[in-house]
Amino acid sequence: MSGVQSSELLRMEDVFTWFPIKGGILGRTQAYVKAVDGVTLSVRRGETLGIVGESGCGKTTLARTVVRLAEPIKGRLLFDGTDILKLKGGRLKPFRRKMQMVFQDPYASLDPRQNVRSALTEPMHIHGIVSGKNEADKRAAELIRIVGLNPDHLSRFPHEFSGGQRQRIAVARALAVNPEFLVLDEPTSSLDVSVQAQILNLLRDLQKELGLTYLFISHNLAVVRQMCSRTGVMYLGRVVEIGPTESLFERPRHPYTEALLSSVPLPDPTKRRLLAPLEGDVPSPITIPSGCRFRTRCGYATDKCAEVFPPATEVAPDQFAECLYDIDFAKKTKRELPVSSVQ
Amino acid sequence: MDGSTQDILTVKKLQVNFHTFAGQVKALDGVDLSVKRGEVLGLVGESGSGKSVTALSIEGLLPQNAEVVGGQIILNGKDLLTEKQGEIRTARLREMAMVFQDPLTYLNPVLTVGSQILEILETDRRVFTPVVVAARLEDLNKAAREGTLTEKETREKASLEALLAEQTLGRREFKRLAKAYAVAILGRVRLPEPERMFKMYPFELSGGMRQRTMIAMALVRRPALLIADEITTALDVTVQAQILKLLRELKDQIDASILLITHDLAVVAEICDRVAVMYAGNIVEVAEVGELFKNPLHPYTQGLLAAIPRPDAVRGELTSIKGSVPNLIYPPSGCRFHPRCPSAFEKCPLSKPPLVEARAGHYVECFLYGG
Ligand SMILES: Nc1ncnc2c1ncn2[C@@H]1O[C@H](COP(=O)(O)OP(=O)(O)OP(=O)(O)O)[C@@H](O)[C@H]1O
Ligand SMILES: Nc1ncnc2c1ncn2[C@@H]1O[C@H](COP(=O)(O)OP(=O)(O)O)[C@@H](O)[C@H]1O
Ligand SMILES: [Mg+2]
Ligand SMILES: [Mg+2]
């Protein structure tokens, strides 16, 4: 794949990011936390791909792997056709500029001793995209306006801003180096609802104006539904279902997606439904169940699910699920799980 | 909004300030709130609106730097701000219990779940004697009805009935009953294998199990009022659904009122009977849940409802409320929402609007509706 005319800006192929757990007196590796455990996906130019899933399923690790803050043990990571896992140092630097990340907690990603102007101009100098201080300052003033603040704010420090304003600054900082691709890890999770909408609108507008591509990570399914053209659902380190947001939400085909969606309360008292479809907790990412990793909590699981690894199957146009069964068929033949599955 | 007798809790004009280096935080600016018997009242608002401060005031757990400047907190007829200390403590112990967002801060890491529950009961043995005896008697009475009572149990039943009248119980006997009662409560919050759970330490439990443990610790007291402050906020949606389902089941079994505090309007829609909306230290709107979602009156409530993304439909442009929550050291004058309000007019910055009944049972604190 040359990637020259490809609609894929980023492609992950069979990526594994495992963290070793050391122990014993010799400090040998005793096991691995399989945070990302064989992910294949692509992000298409100009789209917003959402990633949802429960806490600990590997969303942040996936994001960190993409921007090369976490080192995968295996896999290929193609940016515009180039496998950036093979690049180091100077050859990686231009790619680092093209991909920027915005974190959940803008307080953690902004240096408290650095004022906004230097937070914005520092990355410009690092990546040499401005020729001098004047140009950098001019660009900083422009950026701060783009994100809805004003140039007065440039000489202030992070603690002088509200959460929403800090997230605007974090976005401005990410934009400072003219990226093509933004990885947004829970960009509004620390914000109030009334402010969340401001940031989501800002991100949408910026995407339109600057032609950006987003990988948008969130545990909030409602936010993902509003923001993303396609959505991937992660469970224990794998993307178990991925497809166009509309059809995935309207007709989920993986039992986990179905359960996750029906756990979300609706802001509408005339539609009370809470089914609590899933019992128990997510298993540990150290000892992942054999076969289908969701089978221990799946209402439709059969003996075969413990033995066979479910391959990704196209279940609807452009929608793929890692499940052995057709969900409608599974529903019809559903056998009750024993009550002891609680735990 | 009187009807005090049918209210388990009434908060009137509660004002609380915090003394800090930066100045006085005027956290509660005259909060009016009542929880009716048997209802689930949702208290909803964004962070910093004063939900937790309200809860802590009711529970008597405000930190040292807080000052109650004025108002009343009436729990089952007793004013918690004026009554004698001893009386208040007993009233709180008997009538209410609280569950918080982060169970780990409130669970003792070096004690098993079981010993923590026993500690609650044993510290106030006198208060809880009737509770543990009644719990055992319920079991025995049930067995008696079903005709499965052994001879030994028949004797136990008679002696417990006598004890209940005298209100005294030996230490060992208390402990035996308390333990059985605690295990039963762990089962009631649907923790698997309650006997085993009884012996486990908090770090051995998942987030959802810890929260169930906290709920169990609240329920052992058989409270008439359960205050739950953001108890599902730190949990995944799937676990949140489990806990909300549990609360709904429990509500019917335990015959308690619940004050459910959350920033999430979807959670409110899912399990509350009535809702109070809080903004910057004021209750700005109160209504029955269906009514509030159908006819939100306060511009803040309207803005909030328009700003929540829905999982079941796509909205083009998301509506947001301009600006952000004010700093309560320098709160805006008059109606505290006026700087962000799209409908503000001359009157709004001048004085605080009163809470008026704009529709039947639907109260709002906004000059658009009179006052
Ligand atoms: N540096 C690390 N060393 C060891 N384990 C790690 C490391 N980073 C993450 N993990 C583990 O990998 C798994 C996935 O973590 P990750 O942070 O990617 O989850 P997440 O989906 O982003 O969760 P959340 O929704 O809570 O943010 C977890 O079990 C986590 O504890
Ligand atoms: N211990 C404290 N010291 C000073 N200010 C406090 C303290 N606790 C709460 N506040 C302030 O009181 C207001 C209400 O806070 P809180 O009740 O915690 O809000 P929430 O609605 O998020 O629960 C906020 O302005 C907060 O900063
Ligand atoms: Mg994360
Ligand atoms: Mg709070």
Side-chain angles (χ1 to χ4, degrees):
Chain A
M1 215 184 341
S2 77
V4 179
Q5 285 304 317
S6 166
S7 68
E8 294 179 350
L9 182 59
L10 179 95
R11 180 167 174 79
M12 299 184 92
E13 275 177 16
D14 227 14
V15 171
F16 292 76
T17 308
W18 291 5
F19 300 103
I21 304 170
K22 310 246 189 233
I25 22 173
L26 297 176
R28 286 215 187 98
T29 296
Q30 305 202 313
Y32 289 94
V33 179
K34 298 168 182 167
V36 170
D37 197 37
V39 168
T40 298
L41 60 77
S42 53
V43 188
R44 299 169 191 163
R45 228 173 273 277
E47 81 164 341
T48 301
L49 174 68
I51 298 287
V52 296
E54 290 172 271
S55 177
C57 70
K59 304 181 295 296
T60 297
T61 307
L62 182 77
R64 291 169 53 85
T65 306
V66 169
V67 297
R68 302 239 28 212
L69 288 172
E71 220 30 52
I73 58 161
K74 200 165 96 185
R76 299 212 306 157
L77 188 58
L78 302 157
F79 190 88
D80 228 350
T82 310
D83 187 349
I84 59 170
L85 289 182
K86 297 214 175 89
L87 305 181
K88 285 206 179 68
R91 294 187 44 220
L92 183 61
K93 204 171 163 191
F95 290 97
R96 286 209 188 269
R97 179 187 70 72
K98 289 181 190 169
M99 298 191 284
Q100 292 293 312
M101 182 153 167
V102 175
F103 299 88
Q104 168 170 356
D105 178 7
Y107 220 32
S109 59
L110 295 170
D111 181 344
R113 288 153 308 182
Q114 197 177 36
N115 70 16
V116 175
R117 180 176 292 104
S118 71
L120 298 185
T121 54
E122 185 186 63
M124 300 177 199
H125 293 302
I126 291 175
H127 287 284
I129 63 154
V130 285
S131 57
K133 191 174 174 313
N134 278 348
E135 195 188 336
D137 286 352
K138 216 177 117 216
R139 191 169 158 70
E142 210 173 282
L143 282 166
I144 204 78
R145 245 185 249 118
I146 288 181
V147 297
L149 298 174
N150 64 65
D152 294 349
H153 290 123
L154 286 170
S155 48
R156 299 206 202 156
F157 291 85
H159 73 263
E160 297 175 63
F161 294 95
S162 69
Q165 288 173 321
R166 279 201 290 269
Q167 201 55 292
R168 287 174 192 270
I169 295 165
V171 171
R173 183 175 153 99
L175 294 178
V177 294
N178 270 328
E180 292 170 31
F181 183 56
L182 285 192
V183 176
L184 303 147
D185 187 10
E186 309 262 8
T188 60
S189 300
S190 61
L191 304 178
D192 280 317
V193 219
S194 69
V195 178
Q196 164 173 279
Q198 299 169 5
I199 299 293
L200 295 178
N201 286 334
L202 170 70
L203 289 171
R204 271 191 189 164
D205 295 346
L206 290 173
Q207 181 169 46
K208 246 181 265 152
E209 281 161 38
L210 307 173
L212 297 166
T213 303
Y214 291 157
L215 180 63
F216 188 99
I217 289 171
S218 178
H219 66 272
N220 186 329
L221 286 116
V223 168
V224 165
R225 176 133 206 205
Q226 305 307 313
M227 293 295 291
C228 305
S229 40
R230 287 191 307 134
T231 300
V233 180
M234 267 187 105
Y235 187 76
L236 274 179
R238 286 188 77 85
V239 175
V240 295
E241 182 163 11
I242 188 167
T245 303
E246 216 27 51
S247 82
L248 187 121
F249 274 72
E250 285 303 322
R251 251 198 104 191
R253 304 300 182 93
H254 194 287
Y256 177 62
T257 312
E258 183 187 54
L260 194 62
L261 285 170
S262 50
S263 300
V264 184
L266 296 178
D268 184 349
T270 62
K271 288 191 188 156
R272 294 193 171 176
R273 55 176 189 166
L274 240 139
L275 310 166
L278 282 184
E279 294 288 345
D281 305 301
V282 184
S284 153
I286 301 169
T287 46
I288 290 178
S290 65
C292 168
R293 56 198 61 212
F294 182 58
R295 68 177 163 82
T296 54
R297 296 170 86 196
C298 181
Y300 312 124
T302 66
D303 294 341
K304 201 173 162 197
C305 299
E307 289 151 24
V308 183
F309 191 95
T313 313
E314 185 158 15
V315 287
D318 202 25
Q319 186 173 345
F320 299 83
E322 289 188 342
C323 177
L324 291 179
Y325 299 103
D326 173 77
I327 197 164
D328 298 325
F329 173 76
K331 265 184 198 144
K332 267 184 245 141
T333 56
K334 176 178 152 83
R335 60 153 209 205
E336 286 302 318
L337 276 188
V339 190
S340 66
S341 66
V342 182
Q343 159 64 37
Chain B
M1 257 179 129
D2 235 10
S4 329
T5 45
Q6 49 160 329
D7 295 345
I8 177 74
L9 175 80
T10 311
V11 175
K12 283 189 189 153
K13 303 261 162 284
L14 184 64
Q15 259 179 295
V16 174
N17 289 351
F18 287 96
H19 302 282
T20 70
F21 286 118
Q24 283 216 355
V25 180
K26 293 151 199 98
L28 300 190
D29 183 33
V31 165
D32 284 311
L33 190 70
S34 61
V35 184
K36 299 189 177 131
R37 278 178 208 282
E39 80 169 345
V40 181
L41 177 73
L43 178 58
V44 67
E46 295 178 287
S47 70
S49 57
K51 307 180 296 293
S52 295
V53 173
T54 304
L56 294 172
S57 310
I58 299 167
E59 184 77 346
L61 294 175
L62 283 171
Q64 287 287 315
N65 66 330
E67 183 191 351
V68 177
V69 183
Q72 288 178 298
I73 301 173
I74 299 159
L75 178 68
N76 209 6
K78 289 202 183 66
D79 188 335
L80 297 182
L81 296 176
T82 54
E83 204 86 39
K84 281 201 232 54
Q85 279 309 312
E87 297 260 322
I88 294 170
R89 193 179 127 75
T90 313
R92 283 196 170 115
L93 266 178
R94 281 228 180 105
E95 318 268 12
M96 72 176 156
M98 196 154 165
V99 185
F100 301 91
Q101 170 170 352
D102 177 16
L104 271 192
T105 350
Y106 294 92
L107 288 170
N108 186 334
V110 299
L111 290 182
T112 61
V113 164
S115 29
Q116 300 193 47
I117 297 183
L118 287 185
E119 192 178 290
I120 297 174
L121 298 172
E122 286 180 333
T123 312
D124 292 281
R125 185 144 59 100
R126 194 158 283 136
V127 175
F128 291 115
T129 295
V131 174
V132 300
V133 172
R136 177 68 183 148
L137 275 174
E138 270 167 33
D139 288 348
L140 294 173
N141 285 332
K142 186 159 168 260
R145 277 196 308 276
E146 285 163 5
T148 56
L149 212 58
T150 64
E151 205 173 304
K152 191 168 162 233
E153 284 171 338
T154 314
R155 282 198 305 273
E156 186 188 351
K157 184 165 175 279
S159 83
L160 285 180
E161 274 158 353
L163 276 173
L164 201 54
E166 289 166 34
Q167 299 272 317
T168 55
L169 195 58
R171 210 191 179 93
R172 277 191 38 211
E173 183 65 358
F174 180 86
K175 194 157 184 171
R176 182 182 73 87
L177 294 181
K179 190 173 167 193
Y181 174 53
V183 171
I185 294 278
L186 290 176
R188 179 165 272 193
V189 297
R190 305 214 175 284
L191 278 164
E193 306 175 70
E195 272 96 11
R196 196 166 64 86
M197 281 298 149
F198 191 85
K199 296 187 200 122
M200 287 175 78
Y201 291 90
F203 71 85
E204 298 176 281
L205 307 176
S206 70
M209 287 165 140
R210 282 182 201 135
Q211 207 51 288
R212 284 175 199 265
T213 304
M214 289 298 293
I215 295 172
M217 288 169 71
L219 292 186
V220 284
R221 289 153 57 172
R222 298 218 165 171
L225 174 66
L226 180 68
I227 302 178
D229 189 356
E230 305 268 13
I231 60 169
T232 60
T233 303
L235 304 174
D236 275 314
V237 273
T238 55
V239 185
Q240 164 170 287
Q242 295 167 10
I243 296 287
L244 294 180
K245 183 178 169 203
L246 173 69
L247 274 190
R248 231 194 236 168
E249 287 168 10
L250 288 174
K251 191 202 139 198
D252 299 331
Q253 296 169 11
I254 60 177
D255 188 30
S257 313
I258 301 178
L259 175 58
L260 184 92
I261 297 177
T262 176
H263 68 279
D264 187 346
L265 276 158
V267 167
V268 166
E270 202 62 63
I271 74 165
C272 294
D273 301 315
R274 278 195 316 140
V275 200
V277 181
M278 197 160 189
Y279 182 79
N282 293 291
I283 303 290
V284 296
E285 185 160 4
V286 185
E288 183 270 316
V289 69
E291 163 73 8
L292 187 104
F293 280 78
K294 202 159 127 226
N295 295 307
L297 297 179
H298 200 285
Y300 175 64
T301 314
Q302 292 168 353
L304 214 49
L305 283 170
I308 359 174
R310 297 185 60 120
D312 56 343
V314 184
R315 289 180 159 171
E317 186 77 349
L318 292 165
T319 320
S320 62
I321 304 177
K322 70 176 179 195
S324 55
V325 176
N327 174 343
L328 295 184
I329 296 179
Y330 308 104
S333 63
C335 168
R336 287 183 170 185
F337 185 59
H338 86 260
R340 301 179 74 191
C341 184
S343 320
F345 60 109
E346 315 82 57
K347 215 169 165 182
C348 303
L350 301 181
S351 63
K352 186 181 158 169
L355 195 63
V356 296
E357 185 167 10
R359 294 161 60 96
H362 190 155
Y363 299 82
V364 61
E365 208 174 84
C366 173
F367 286 125
L368 292 175
Y369 305 93

Short mmCIF file of all heavy atoms in Angstrom, two decimals, chain B residues 95-129:
data_model
loop_
_atom_site.label_atom_id
_atom_site.label_comp_id
_atom_site.label_asym_id
_atom_site.label_seq_id
_atom_site.Cartn_x
_atom_site.Cartn_y
_atom_site.Cartn_z
N GLU B 95 -31.72 8.18 61.78
CA GLU B 95 -32.57 8.55 60.65
C GLU B 95 -31.87 8.62 59.31
O GLU B 95 -32.51 8.57 58.28
CB GLU B 95 -33.22 9.91 60.88
CG GLU B 95 -33.73 10.14 62.28
CD GLU B 95 -35.19 9.73 62.42
OE1 GLU B 95 -35.69 9.07 61.49
OE2 GLU B 95 -35.79 10.08 63.45
N MET B 96 -30.54 8.82 59.30
CA MET B 96 -29.97 8.96 57.97
C MET B 96 -28.59 8.36 57.82
O MET B 96 -27.87 8.12 58.78
CB MET B 96 -29.94 10.42 57.56
CG MET B 96 -28.94 11.24 58.28
SD MET B 96 -29.06 12.87 57.52
CE MET B 96 -28.45 13.85 58.80
N ALA B 97 -28.24 8.12 56.56
CA ALA B 97 -26.94 7.56 56.25
C ALA B 97 -26.52 8.11 54.90
O ALA B 97 -27.36 8.49 54.09
CB ALA B 97 -27.03 6.05 56.19
N MET B 98 -25.22 8.14 54.70
CA MET B 98 -24.70 8.78 53.50
C MET B 98 -23.74 7.85 52.75
O MET B 98 -22.98 7.12 53.36
CB MET B 98 -23.96 10.05 53.95
CG MET B 98 -23.70 11.00 52.85
SD MET B 98 -23.56 12.66 53.53
CE MET B 98 -22.82 13.49 52.14
N VAL B 99 -23.78 7.94 51.43
CA VAL B 99 -22.83 7.21 50.59
C VAL B 99 -22.15 8.23 49.68
O VAL B 99 -22.82 9.12 49.15
CB VAL B 99 -23.53 6.15 49.71
CG1 VAL B 99 -22.52 5.34 48.93
CG2 VAL B 99 -24.40 5.24 50.56
N PHE B 100 -20.80 8.11 49.55
CA PHE B 100 -20.06 9.13 48.81
C PHE B 100 -19.53 8.60 47.47
O PHE B 100 -19.55 7.41 47.20
CB PHE B 100 -18.86 9.61 49.63
CG PHE B 100 -19.24 10.20 50.95
CD1 PHE B 100 -19.33 9.40 52.08
CD2 PHE B 100 -19.54 11.54 51.06
CE1 PHE B 100 -19.67 9.95 53.32
CE2 PHE B 100 -19.89 12.10 52.28
CZ PHE B 100 -19.95 11.30 53.41
N GLN B 101 -18.99 9.53 46.70
CA GLN B 101 -18.47 9.20 45.39
C GLN B 101 -17.30 8.22 45.45
O GLN B 101 -17.23 7.27 44.69
CB GLN B 101 -18.00 10.48 44.68
CG GLN B 101 -17.21 10.21 43.41
CD GLN B 101 -16.97 11.47 42.62
OE1 GLN B 101 -17.51 12.53 42.92
NE2 GLN B 101 -16.19 11.37 41.57
N ASP B 102 -16.37 8.48 46.38
CA ASP B 102 -15.14 7.71 46.38
C ASP B 102 -15.07 6.82 47.61
O ASP B 102 -14.62 7.24 48.66
CB ASP B 102 -13.96 8.68 46.36
CG ASP B 102 -12.65 7.92 46.45
OD1 ASP B 102 -12.67 6.69 46.22
OD2 ASP B 102 -11.63 8.54 46.76
N PRO B 103 -15.50 5.57 47.49
CA PRO B 103 -15.59 4.70 48.66
C PRO B 103 -14.25 4.50 49.35
O PRO B 103 -14.21 4.35 50.58
CB PRO B 103 -16.11 3.37 48.12
CG PRO B 103 -16.28 3.51 46.67
CD PRO B 103 -15.91 4.89 46.26
N LEU B 104 -13.16 4.53 48.58
CA LEU B 104 -11.86 4.24 49.21
C LEU B 104 -11.49 5.24 50.30
O LEU B 104 -10.81 4.90 51.25
CB LEU B 104 -10.76 4.17 48.16
CG LEU B 104 -10.54 2.79 47.54
CD1 LEU B 104 -9.25 2.77 46.76
CD2 LEU B 104 -10.54 1.68 48.59
N THR B 105 -11.93 6.47 50.16
CA THR B 105 -11.62 7.47 51.19
C THR B 105 -12.38 7.19 52.48
O THR B 105 -12.00 7.65 53.53
CB THR B 105 -12.06 8.88 50.74
OG1 THR B 105 -12.42 8.82 49.38
CG2 THR B 105 -11.00 9.90 50.95
N TYR B 106 -13.50 6.47 52.35
CA TYR B 106 -14.31 6.28 53.54
C TYR B 106 -14.21 4.87 54.10
O TYR B 106 -14.73 4.58 55.17
CB TYR B 106 -15.77 6.64 53.24
CG TYR B 106 -15.87 8.11 52.94
CD1 TYR B 106 -15.77 8.59 51.65
CD2 TYR B 106 -15.99 9.03 53.99
CE1 TYR B 106 -15.81 9.94 51.38
CE2 TYR B 106 -16.03 10.38 53.73
CZ TYR B 106 -15.93 10.83 52.42
OH TYR B 106 -15.96 12.18 52.17
N LEU B 107 -13.55 3.98 53.36
CA LEU B 107 -13.37 2.62 53.87
C LEU B 107 -12.00 2.56 54.53
O LEU B 107 -11.03 3.12 54.03
CB LEU B 107 -13.45 1.62 52.72
CG LEU B 107 -14.84 1.40 52.11
CD1 LEU B 107 -14.75 0.59 50.84
CD2 LEU B 107 -15.75 0.72 53.12
N ASN B 108 -11.95 1.86 55.65
CA ASN B 108 -10.67 1.70 56.33
C ASN B 108 -9.89 0.56 55.66
O ASN B 108 -10.35 -0.57 55.64
CB ASN B 108 -10.96 1.37 57.80
CG ASN B 108 -9.69 1.32 58.62
OD1 ASN B 108 -8.61 1.05 58.08
ND2 ASN B 108 -9.80 1.60 59.90
N PRO B 109 -8.70 0.87 55.10
CA PRO B 109 -8.00 -0.13 54.31
C PRO B 109 -7.52 -1.34 55.11
O PRO B 109 -7.31 -2.41 54.55
CB PRO B 109 -6.81 0.64 53.73
CG PRO B 109 -6.64 1.82 54.61
CD PRO B 109 -7.99 2.16 55.14
N VAL B 110 -7.34 -1.18 56.44
CA VAL B 110 -6.78 -2.30 57.21
C VAL B 110 -7.85 -3.13 57.92
O VAL B 110 -7.53 -4.07 58.63
CB VAL B 110 -5.73 -1.83 58.24
CG1 VAL B 110 -4.57 -1.16 57.52
CG2 VAL B 110 -6.32 -0.89 59.26
N LEU B 111 -9.11 -2.78 57.74
CA LEU B 111 -10.18 -3.57 58.36
C LEU B 111 -10.99 -4.29 57.29
O LEU B 111 -11.20 -3.77 56.20
CB LEU B 111 -11.12 -2.66 59.16
CG LEU B 111 -10.57 -2.05 60.44
CD1 LEU B 111 -11.65 -1.22 61.11
CD2 LEU B 111 -10.07 -3.13 61.38
N THR B 112 -11.46 -5.48 57.63
CA THR B 112 -12.30 -6.19 56.67
C THR B 112 -13.64 -5.47 56.57
O THR B 112 -14.02 -4.70 57.46
CB THR B 112 -12.58 -7.64 57.12
OG1 THR B 112 -13.26 -7.60 58.37
CG2 THR B 112 -11.29 -8.44 57.24
N VAL B 113 -14.34 -5.76 55.48
CA VAL B 113 -15.66 -5.21 55.27
C VAL B 113 -16.54 -5.50 56.49
O VAL B 113 -17.21 -4.62 57.03
CB VAL B 113 -16.28 -5.84 54.00
CG1 VAL B 113 -17.77 -5.61 53.93
CG2 VAL B 113 -15.57 -5.31 52.77
N GLY B 114 -16.48 -6.74 56.94
CA GLY B 114 -17.31 -7.16 58.06
C GLY B 114 -17.02 -6.38 59.33
O GLY B 114 -17.94 -5.87 59.98
N SER B 115 -15.72 -6.22 59.67
CA SER B 115 -15.45 -5.53 60.92
C SER B 115 -15.84 -4.06 60.85
O SER B 115 -16.19 -3.46 61.86
CB SER B 115 -14.01 -5.71 61.39
OG SER B 115 -13.16 -5.88 60.31
N GLN B 116 -15.80 -3.50 59.63
CA GLN B 116 -16.23 -2.09 59.52
C GLN B 116 -17.72 -1.94 59.78
O GLN B 116 -18.16 -0.97 60.38
CB GLN B 116 -15.86 -1.53 58.16
CG GLN B 116 -14.36 -1.59 57.95
CD GLN B 116 -13.87 -0.79 56.78
OE1 GLN B 116 -14.23 0.35 56.59
NE2 GLN B 116 -13.01 -1.40 55.99
N ILE B 117 -18.48 -2.93 59.29
CA ILE B 117 -19.91 -2.85 59.52
C ILE B 117 -20.21 -3.08 61.00
O ILE B 117 -20.99 -2.35 61.62
CB ILE B 117 -20.67 -3.87 58.65
CG1 ILE B 117 -20.43 -3.52 57.17
CG2 ILE B 117 -22.15 -3.86 58.97
CD1 ILE B 117 -21.17 -4.40 56.21
N LEU B 118 -19.52 -4.07 61.58
CA LEU B 118 -19.74 -4.35 63.02
C LEU B 118 -19.38 -3.14 63.86
O LEU B 118 -20.03 -2.82 64.84
CB LEU B 118 -18.92 -5.56 63.46
CG LEU B 118 -19.43 -6.91 62.95
CD1 LEU B 118 -18.62 -8.04 63.55
CD2 LEU B 118 -20.91 -7.09 63.30
N GLU B 119 -18.31 -2.44 63.44
CA GLU B 119 -17.88 -1.27 64.20
C GLU B 119 -18.98 -0.21 64.26
O GLU B 119 -19.21 0.40 65.31
CB GLU B 119 -16.61 -0.70 63.58
CG GLU B 119 -15.94 0.33 64.47
CD GLU B 119 -14.66 0.85 63.84
OE1 GLU B 119 -13.68 0.09 63.77
OE2 GLU B 119 -14.66 2.02 63.43
N ILE B 120 -19.63 0.00 63.13
CA ILE B 120 -20.72 0.99 63.11
C ILE B 120 -21.77 0.61 64.15
O ILE B 120 -22.23 1.44 64.93
CB ILE B 120 -21.41 1.00 61.72
CG1 ILE B 120 -20.44 1.45 60.65
CG2 ILE B 120 -22.65 1.90 61.74
CD1 ILE B 120 -21.02 1.36 59.24
N LEU B 121 -22.11 -0.67 64.16
CA LEU B 121 -23.18 -1.12 65.04
C LEU B 121 -22.73 -1.10 66.50
O LEU B 121 -23.46 -0.66 67.39
CB LEU B 121 -23.62 -2.53 64.64
CG LEU B 121 -24.21 -2.65 63.23
CD1 LEU B 121 -24.44 -4.10 62.87
CD2 LEU B 121 -25.51 -1.85 63.12
N GLU B 122 -21.49 -1.56 66.76
CA GLU B 122 -21.04 -1.69 68.15
C GLU B 122 -20.75 -0.36 68.81
O GLU B 122 -20.92 -0.20 70.01
CB GLU B 122 -19.81 -2.60 68.21
CG GLU B 122 -20.22 -4.05 68.01
CD GLU B 122 -19.05 -5.02 68.06
OE1 GLU B 122 -17.92 -4.60 67.73
OE2 GLU B 122 -19.28 -6.19 68.40
N THR B 123 -20.29 0.61 68.02
CA THR B 123 -20.00 1.93 68.60
C THR B 123 -21.26 2.52 69.23
O THR B 123 -21.19 3.23 70.23
CB THR B 123 -19.49 2.90 67.50
OG1 THR B 123 -18.48 2.24 66.77
CG2 THR B 123 -18.94 4.17 68.09
N ASP B 124 -22.39 2.24 68.63
CA ASP B 124 -23.64 2.76 69.19
C ASP B 124 -24.57 1.60 69.50
O ASP B 124 -25.67 1.50 68.96
CB ASP B 124 -24.27 3.75 68.21
CG ASP B 124 -23.42 5.00 68.09
OD1 ASP B 124 -23.51 5.85 68.99
OD2 ASP B 124 -22.65 5.11 67.12
N ARG B 125 -24.08 0.72 70.37
CA ARG B 125 -24.80 -0.51 70.65
C ARG B 125 -26.23 -0.24 71.08
O ARG B 125 -27.17 -0.89 70.65
CB ARG B 125 -24.05 -1.29 71.75
CG ARG B 125 -24.60 -2.64 72.06
CD ARG B 125 -23.45 -3.59 72.37
NE ARG B 125 -22.69 -3.10 73.50
CZ ARG B 125 -22.84 -3.57 74.74
NH1 ARG B 125 -23.75 -4.49 75.01
NH2 ARG B 125 -22.10 -3.09 75.71
N ARG B 126 -26.39 0.77 71.95
CA ARG B 126 -27.73 1.04 72.47
C ARG B 126 -28.68 1.43 71.35
O ARG B 126 -29.80 0.94 71.26
CB ARG B 126 -27.65 2.16 73.53
CG ARG B 126 -28.91 2.25 74.33
CD ARG B 126 -28.70 2.93 75.67
NE ARG B 126 -28.07 2.10 76.67
CZ ARG B 126 -27.09 2.52 77.46
NH1 ARG B 126 -26.60 3.73 77.33
NH2 ARG B 126 -26.60 1.74 78.39
N VAL B 127 -28.21 2.30 70.46
CA VAL B 127 -29.06 2.74 69.35
C VAL B 127 -29.43 1.58 68.44
O VAL B 127 -30.56 1.49 67.97
CB VAL B 127 -28.33 3.83 68.53
CG1 VAL B 127 -29.14 4.23 67.31
CG2 VAL B 127 -28.06 5.05 69.40
N PHE B 128 -28.48 0.67 68.22
CA PHE B 128 -28.73 -0.36 67.21
C PHE B 128 -29.27 -1.66 67.77
O PHE B 128 -29.61 -2.57 67.01
CB PHE B 128 -27.46 -0.61 66.40
CG PHE B 128 -27.11 0.56 65.52
CD1 PHE B 128 -25.95 1.30 65.72
CD2 PHE B 128 -27.99 0.96 64.52
CE1 PHE B 128 -25.66 2.39 64.93
CE2 PHE B 128 -27.70 2.05 63.73
CZ PHE B 128 -26.54 2.77 63.93
N THR B 129 -29.37 -1.75 69.13
CA THR B 129 -29.93 -2.98 69.70
C THR B 129 -31.30 -3.32 69.09
O THR B 129 -31.49 -4.44 68.60
CB THR B 129 -30.01 -2.88 71.24
OG1 THR B 129 -28.69 -2.80 71.74
CG2 THR B 129 -30.71 -4.09 71.84
#
